[in-house]
Every structure is written in C-alpha cells, then in structure tokens.
Amino acid sequence: MGFDQYHEPPDELSHKMRTFARMITSLIEEAEAISWYEQRMSVEKGAQARAIMKNAQTEEFKHFGMNLEFLLRQKEDWRTELKEILFWDIVKRGEAGEKKAD
C-alpha cells in the first residue's frame, strides 16, 4: 500500500510533522465517510437501514471531532480562528477572525 499523503520527502519531515499529516488525512477521511453516509441515507428507503447508517455516521462524526480537536491542540492559531466562527454568524464572525489572526 502506497502512502502519498506527503508533499515533501517523508524522511526529511519530523515525527511531529508526520503525525500532523496523518491526522489531517484522518480528518479528511472521516469527513468523506460522513458525506458518504449522508448520501446513502438520502436514497435509502428502509427505515431500519437508515437508522443503522445514521448510527455509523455518528461514529464517523465523533472521530472527525477527535481528529479536529487534536489538530487544534497543535495549532493554537487555528483554535483562535475557529472560536471566532463556530456557533455564530458564519460570514460576519469569519471576517472578524481573519482580522484577529493577523
């Protein structure tokens, strides 16, 4: 199995950077899985099958959150940026977050 998650030679990257890249890849994979379940549920006719898919999707969402939290603990400026956006008016707060991060 090949690994193409690096854009620089892996042996030149620190252990911390390789871990960071793995977590970014995991975050992307969890987001894809969430989307796949959402698509499957949108076309599934059976209530029981949809419920099982929803349960599986919830697990993927939990993993997405864990990966995101790990990354935010590594990048304090990302946490600062997201605190200005999450749970508020997205556009207005996003612009405020950009100004604060600069």
Side-chain angles (χ1 to χ4, degrees), residues 19-42:
T19 297
F20 183 81
R22 286 185 198 108
M23 296 305 285
I24 289 285
T25 300
S26 292
L27 185 73
I28 293 166
E29 291 168 350
E30 298 300 342
E32 286 178 336
I34 291 165
S35 177
W36 294 336
Y37 279 114
E38 197 69 25
Q39 292 173 48
R40 291 172 187 155
M41 289 184 296
S42 76

Side-chain angles (χ1 to χ4, degrees), residues 1-6 10 22 25:
M1 176 178 178
F3 296 94
D4 58 358
Q5 67 192 34
Y6 303 114
R22 286 185 198 108
T25 300

